[in-house]
Amino acid sequence: MSKVKTHKIIGLRSTLLAIVFFIFIILLSNQFDAYNQSQLTNIATLLIAVFSITLLTGASGQISLGQGAIMAVGGYSSALLVTRLGFSMWISFILAIFISALFGLFLGLAAARLSGPYLAGTTLVMALAIPSIAVRFEGFFSGDVGLSVDYGNPPDWLTNLLGEISIEVWSLYVVLPFTAIALFAVLNLSNTRTGRTWRAVRDNEVAAALAGINIGRTKVIVFVCASGLAGLAGALYGFRGLVAPSVYPTDLSLTLLTAAVIGGLRSIGGAIFGTFAIVFLPDLIEKITKNFAIPENIGTYLPALTIGLLLLITVILNPRGAAGALEHLRHRKRH
Amino acid sequence: MLEITDLVTEFDSVKALNGITFQAKPGLITTVIGANGAGKSTLLRTISGLERPTTGSIKWFDQELTHKSVEAIVRSGIAQVPEGHAVISQLSVAENIELGGLFRRRIARGDLAIATREVYELFPILYERRNEPAGSLSGGERQMLAISRALVSRPKLLLLDEPSLGLAPLISAQIINIVNQLCRSTGLTVLLVEQNANTALAVADHGILLSLGKVVADLPAKIMIADSSLRAAYLGY
Amino acid sequence: MNSFLTALFSGTAQGAIYALVSLGLVLVWRGAGIVNFAQMGQAMFTTYIASQLIQHNYSYWSAFVIALVSGAVLGALVDLGLMRPLTSRKNSQLLNSQSMRTTIPVIASLGILGVLKALAGILWAGEERGFPSPVAPNAIKIGSTNLAITGFDLFVIGVVFLTLVLTTIFFTKTGMGLAMRASALNPEVTRLSGIKVGSVRTLGWAISGTASSLAGLLVTPRTNLSPNTLDLLLIIGFTAAVVGGLSSLAGSVLGGFILGYVISFVNVYSAPENVFIAILAFLLLALFIRPQGILGSKEVRNV
Ligand SMILES: Nc1ncnc2c1ncn2[C@@H]1O[C@H](COP(=O)(O)OP(=O)(O)O)[C@@H](O)[C@H]1O
Ligand SMILES: [Mg+2]
């Protein structure tokens, strides 16, 4: 009886949080120019992929350096459905989730046998190989040129309601509901029994097995869920204009991991913070360096250097990331 | 002289050693007995530096050991034969023995050859099988090899963790006898951890009975072996 | 027939380089339980050092030696400055979960990779440059017929062969080699034998750094040099190490040569764009059929 009750409360809380997030981003976008509005769309999109890492690494302890490749799977699925079979964009997004999840199932079946560095290396190879499939089967996937897709135009009822909507704002409106739903899902998940099962596997596989948890199955399920999320992110990411190998490079996978790590692998708030950081940091650095006479080649590499250093500092000083640091401070205040 | 005073070792704030104090006299065999989980292995591991004590002191003659590294402790003449026939099974018998003396191959090359010959004389079966992987040895032979690895470092204090565990009675008696002879003939100080009180007390000079991380009896071996009430209370037989 | 020989010889030369990379990965994996994803970033960096020296009129061979030494130093620094503190006791209590102890070093090595690439970009500009070789990359001629092998291939094969012989002697015949094998197999018993396992581990990182630095020097005359050039080599080396067995030094070398042949035959008989897919397929196949690798032992994998 009481169990059902807590479930409902948790559902309520995550619903509220997701709505608050949604409204916050909308309000924020009103303050922004077109460029920053599209950056905000990038954040909302990549956030879904970063959530997939929060689930995979933070909640169940598996590490993937290839989430970008799964994004490519989602991107190509939806783009092919739309361009070749004439599906509507919205349906193609939903189907992309399922296709990527299916892909994640195969991957998970292999990954469940792999631990730590093996999984990291294998997913890294995948990050490199999967985009190259598009080049190999050029006739089907359009090779390096890629498939052109976009968010289309806002429907009439919306423009009637809100007036003229710029393409940047419309992009945000398309992506944001998905982000809010993904946020709701991961928030809910981490508080349920399933989430606890995943964490048990993360913390001690032997103990979890002794407690009757099926380790292999749990890992595969996590992989499927994470792949679904990453695939959705990839589809949304592609509809900014182009689905091509260059849109999903190996660096994308590493950037996503960086966002999850610096924010705090185990924290959903951390994922949000980390995603904001990796998207806005290069802009911020550019703004600062513009005032100094810094040679161009230094300027190009400064964001990468900063992000690398941030990653190292996080790992050395505070492996729990920004979220962990915040928690630490709160703890200290209380005592 | 090994002097242990108020030694406390914790695992996640659970005290595996809870204020241990005793002494082991040089040239003699001191045996530490106690039921499973009493803290015997933790005691030996703390002496050789594998575990760090929370408080207390471990003195070997004039040296305080508690802040030294494992390597420094071994190099000052304290060798441990860990629990469970700890040899490196993928290496050959000869390599396992070589490993024990590796740290002094520059300073005492001549003596190393002598020490190696001596352990082969002590355990001729090891010489016969010197080129085979240690993993192919029987349990008793592995224990001999583990002891040999410790002996080639020319220890002054030998820490043995349940050498008879899992061995046939005849073989464990043989191994304990060899340790006994070594002690009597070379003046080696031995700290012998055993669950099997009878075998250990039969050769030991002094007995320490451990229970739940505390010393509950510290008596000459002859007296302890006769005290059946102690054993009934703490060892259950 | 001629294309077969071409594939065979270039496979051997490529495989020799992959063997070095894979050897470097396995050395660190066995010693420290870490797959060092920064390894080829380190090699890229030391190859740039050599390239700079050559531009400043140092001879090829002195630049070669300095690059190898910097490879060793860089490897040791990564261990001393980062990996050792990360895996030390105080920190691992903070990370009281099993999976995090293996995840954190992976992330740390990616951080190093990122920093090294950015630094190389800043210091030496990001564009590709050539890297010289001491032997001309032309096909060897007998009379007027071209052989399928180039002088440079022979040079690569010779250098790697010499390295492998020296490595084997080091591991099987010297005390330090024994100490390294022992530390990798059982650190506790090794420490109880009075050996400074930490220092031995750092030496492993240094040797790994040297081996990968050598791989960088040998591969860049073909591929040119940029901050990203050697990324692919890491991925191939990792696959080679898994195929051969991450726990086995001999296996890693074998895996390197196998990958060399696979890639070179795919290149010659199929098309270059199939190489990545071939690598992925080969890796997945290896993981399914023989996850411990050709020469690896089963227990070691789940540590
Ligand atoms: N590495 C460890 N982590 C946590 N607890 C431990 C560890 N090693 C030993 N203990 C605990 O310390 C106590 C003493 O163990 P031990 O010294 O191995 O006993 P003995 O050798 O006498 O059987 C036991 O309760 C054991 O569970
Ligand atoms: Mg014990």
Side-chain angles (χ1 to χ4, degrees):
Chain A
M1 187 59 201
S2 72
K3 211 175 191 178
V4 178
K5 215 171 176 182
T6 43
H7 250 277
K8 272 199 179 137
I9 293 170
I10 289 161
L12 189 66
R13 190 171 151 264
S14 31
T15 315
L16 279 176
L17 280 171
I19 292 172
V20 167
F21 174 82
F22 186 94
I23 294 173
F24 171 72
I25 299 286
I26 296 278
L27 289 179
L28 199 60
S29 78
N30 285 337
Q31 313 298 316
F32 280 177
D33 58 11
Y35 171 76
N36 281 323
Q37 280 170 348
S38 68
Q39 288 288 69
L40 216 48
T41 310
N42 279 341
I43 289 175
T45 309
L46 292 179
L47 190 52
I48 302 176
V50 175
F51 282 153
S52 82
I53 295 181
T54 309
L55 284 190
L56 205 59
T57 313
S60 92
Q62 306 182 81
I63 183 166
S64 164
L65 309 183
Q67 288 310 91
I70 300 172
M71 284 178 66
V73 171
Y76 273 101
S77 308
S78 58
L80 287 171
L81 286 170
V82 168
T83 56
R84 298 253 198 283
L85 300 176
F87 276 76
S88 94
M89 173 178 83
W90 302 100
I91 292 178
S92 83
F93 289 158
I94 308 293
L95 287 177
I97 300 178
F98 287 105
I99 296 171
S100 317
L102 193 66
F103 181 81
L105 176 67
F106 289 121
L107 197 66
L109 287 175
R113 302 149 55 99
L114 303 177
S115 59
Y118 276 88
L119 186 56
T122 309
T123 47
L124 185 62
V125 176
M126 196 181 74
L128 200 78
I130 290 206
S132 85
I133 289 178
V135 183
R136 172 65 188 81
F137 300 101
E138 202 179 341
F140 192 64
F141 294 109
S142 300
D144 280 323
V145 181
L147 303 156
S148 294
V149 278
D150 58 46
Y151 296 120
N153 295 317
D156 291 340
W157 62 264
L158 199 65
T159 37
N160 289 341
L161 198 70
L162 299 174
E164 258 330 283
I165 296 177
S166 73
I167 189 75
E168 286 82 12
V169 173
W170 170 236
S171 308
L172 188 61
Y173 285 175
V174 172
V175 172
L176 209 48
F178 288 103
T179 314
I181 292 168
L183 175 63
F184 168 78
V186 286
L187 274 174
N188 240 358
L189 198 64
S190 60
N191 287 316
T192 58
R193 223 179 105 115
T194 321
R196 281 196 294 280
T197 311
W198 293 4
R199 284 195 290 274
V201 172
R202 173 194 73 192
D203 289 340
N204 193 331
E205 283 192 17
V206 178
L210 286 177
I213 296 171
N214 184 335
I215 306 283
R217 201 175 65 192
T218 307
K219 284 185 168 182
V220 173
I221 292 174
V222 179
F223 237 96
V224 170
C225 295
S227 301
L229 280 177
L232 172 63
L236 295 169
Y237 203 56
F239 273 70
R240 293 176 315 162
L242 183 69
V243 171
S246 59
V247 178
Y248 309 97
T250 315
D251 280 349
L252 176 62
S253 301
L254 301 184
T255 309
L256 295 174
L257 184 68
T258 305
V261 171
I262 60 181
L265 272 171
R266 295 190 180 169
S267 147
I268 291 156
I272 298 175
F273 171 83
T275 313
F276 267 89
I278 52 149
V279 172
F280 277 125
L281 202 63
D283 293 346
L284 189 70
I285 291 170
E286 200 190 306
K287 227 177 228 159
I288 295 171
T289 51
K290 242 196 338 226
N291 301 326
F292 304 92
I294 287 176
E296 192 195 332
N297 66 311
I298 297 187
T300 2
Y301 284 96
L302 219 47
L305 184 67
T306 318
I307 285 176
L309 286 175
L310 265 179
L311 199 59
L312 280 181
I313 291 169
T314 306
V315 165
I316 295 169
L317 297 182
N318 178 30
R320 295 195 174 171
L326 206 67
E327 198 176 303
H328 189 76
L329 280 178
R330 223 186 293 154
H331 235 76
R332 267 236 299 263
K333 251 187 201 161
R334 222 177 280 158
H335 291 295
Chain B
M1 169 100 87
L2 177 72
E3 275 184 272
I4 294 180
T5 320
D6 291 330
L7 195 65
V8 176
T9 301
E10 295 172 319
F11 294 109
D12 302 326
S13 67
V14 175
K15 290 187 167 106
L17 298 183
N18 191 358
I20 300 253
T21 303
F22 74 91
Q23 296 170 356
K25 295 205 173 59
L28 299 182
I29 300 181
T30 303
T31 185
V32 177
I33 54 181
N36 203 1
K40 309 181 294 295
S41 298
T42 307
L43 173 64
L44 291 199
R45 292 171 63 83
T46 311
I47 296 173
S48 37
L50 289 170
E51 308 294 349
R52 292 271 156 230
T54 330
T55 54
S57 108
I58 304 166
K59 271 183 126 175
W60 171 239
F61 290 95
D62 296 332
Q63 299 176 55
E64 176 61 48
L65 300 183
T66 36
H67 296 293
K68 285 191 167 184
S69 69
V70 178
E71 304 87 38
I73 291 171
V74 174
R75 287 167 191 229
S76 66
I78 297 175
Q80 195 196 149
V81 180
E83 201 167 4
H85 326 302
V87 296
I88 302 183
S89 37
Q90 296 94 328
L91 298 182
S92 73
V93 171
E95 283 172 334
N96 268 281
I97 293 178
E98 191 187 343
L99 185 66
L102 213 50
F103 72 88
R104 52 193 200 107
R105 70 188 184 283
R106 299 244 167 68
I107 37 177
R109 184 172 287 278
D111 181 61
L112 209 54
I114 299 171
T116 308
R117 201 166 60 235
E118 281 175 11
V119 297
Y120 280 138
E121 278 164 11
L122 210 53
F123 303 110
I125 182 78
L126 295 182
Y127 185 72
E128 279 169 35
R129 311 193 58 174
R130 64 188 177 282
N131 291 323
E132 291 172 35
S136 71
L137 300 180
S138 72
E141 289 161 354
R142 277 191 218 191
Q143 193 55 261
M144 293 173 193
L145 180 57
I147 293 174
S148 302
R149 185 194 52 73
L151 287 179
V152 286
S153 71
R154 290 264 189 238
K156 298 184 189 66
L157 172 62
L158 184 64
L159 311 171
L160 290 163
D161 198 346
E162 304 206 33
S164 63
L165 190 74
L167 300 185
L170 213 61
I171 295 170
S172 75
Q174 188 194 347
I175 287 176
I176 300 257
N177 265 331
I178 288 176
V179 171
N180 190 19
Q181 280 165 24
L182 261 176
C183 168
R184 306 306 162 194
S185 62
T186 63
L188 179 70
T189 310
V190 176
L191 197 59
L192 171 65
V193 159
E194 271 295 344
Q195 247 187 87
N196 185 339
N198 287 336
T199 344
L201 288 169
V203 294
D205 300 283
H206 203 82
I208 308 286
L209 180 58
L210 230 56
S211 174
L212 299 175
K214 285 199 153 118
V215 175
V216 289
D218 181 348
L219 296 167
K222 281 202 201 82
I223 299 178
M224 193 177 273
I225 208 168
D227 192 338
S228 56
S229 64
L230 260 185
R231 285 194 314 198
Y234 293 103
L235 297 172
Y237 62 91
Chain C
M1 186 60 201
N2 206 9
S3 65
F4 177 80
L5 281 182
T6 309
L8 190 69
F9 287 130
S10 96
T12 311
Q14 290 300 308
I17 295 171
Y18 304 155
L20 285 178
V21 178
S22 151
L23 183 71
L25 284 171
V26 167
L27 269 171
V28 166
W29 166 254
R30 281 179 26 129
I34 292 170
V35 172
N36 180 18
F37 287 97
Q39 182 176 292
M40 295 324 286
Q42 295 162 229
M44 174 274 299
F45 207 78
T46 58
T47 313
Y48 262 112
I49 292 177
S51 166
Q52 285 301 108
L53 289 171
I54 291 169
Q55 278 187 5
H56 287 84
N57 297 322
Y58 281 75
S59 76
Y60 176 85
W61 288 108
S62 57
F64 185 90
V65 171
I66 293 172
L68 294 188
V69 173
S70 355
V73 171
L74 205 52
L77 280 180
V78 170
D79 184 39
L80 291 175
L82 187 66
M83 295 305 179
R84 210 195 281 194
L86 267 187
T87 45
S88 74
R89 201 174 283 187
K90 218 178 104 208
N91 265 317
S92 60
Q93 267 171 2
L94 184 75
L95 307 166
N96 49 2
S97 94
Q98 218 173 41
S99 60
M100 279 324 215
R101 280 196 290 275
T102 59
T103 304
I104 292 293
V106 169
I107 294 170
S109 72
L110 290 172
I112 300 215
L113 180 65
V115 168
L116 284 176
K117 278 189 190 179
L119 272 183
I122 289 173
L123 289 173
W124 300 304
E127 74 241 34
E128 279 206 356
R129 53 166 94 172
F131 189 78
S133 71
V135 187
N138 301 329
I140 292 177
K141 283 186 178 182
I142 292 183
S144 62
T145 50
N146 277 338
L147 291 190
I149 192 162
T150 69
F152 181 66
D153 285 340
L154 280 181
F155 169 70
V156 169
I157 294 168
V159 169
V160 173
F161 184 73
L162 185 69
T163 310
L164 294 180
V165 169
L166 289 177
T167 314
T168 311
I169 292 175
F170 171 77
F171 276 105
T172 54
K173 301 278 186 263
T174 70
M176 189 47 91
L178 174 61
M180 278 191 77
R181 279 186 293 149
S183 321
L185 293 166
N186 191 332
E188 188 160 298
V189 167
T190 311
R191 289 182 82 193
L192 286 173
S193 304
I195 288 160
K196 294 174 180 145
V197 170
S199 314
V200 170
R201 204 168 276 183
T202 306
L203 182 69
W205 279 87
I207 298 177
S208 159
T210 314
S212 34
S213 173
L214 180 60
L217 293 169
L218 294 179
V219 84
T220 38
R222 278 248 169 76
T223 61
N224 289 346
L225 180 59
S226 81
N228 301 319
T229 336
L230 300 184
D231 291 355
L232 183 58
L233 211 53
L234 175 86
I235 283 170
I236 297 173
F238 173 81
T239 308
V242 171
V243 169
L246 260 181
S247 60
S248 155
L249 292 175
S252 72
V253 172
L254 180 67
F257 280 101
I258 292 178
L259 258 277
Y261 293 123
V262 168
I263 290 173
S264 136
F265 276 91
V266 169
N267 255 325
V268 169
Y269 285 102
S270 167
E273 63 261 27
N274 289 348
V275 163
F276 294 142
I277 302 164
I279 296 173
L280 179 65
F282 205 68
L283 178 62
L284 290 179
L285 203 69
L287 284 170
F288 268 108
I289 297 176
R290 204 176 155 78
Q292 73 272 33
I294 299 174
L295 296 182
S297 52
K298 228 171 195 151
E299 324 90 276
V300 193
R301 203 175 70 89
N302 284 325
V303 197

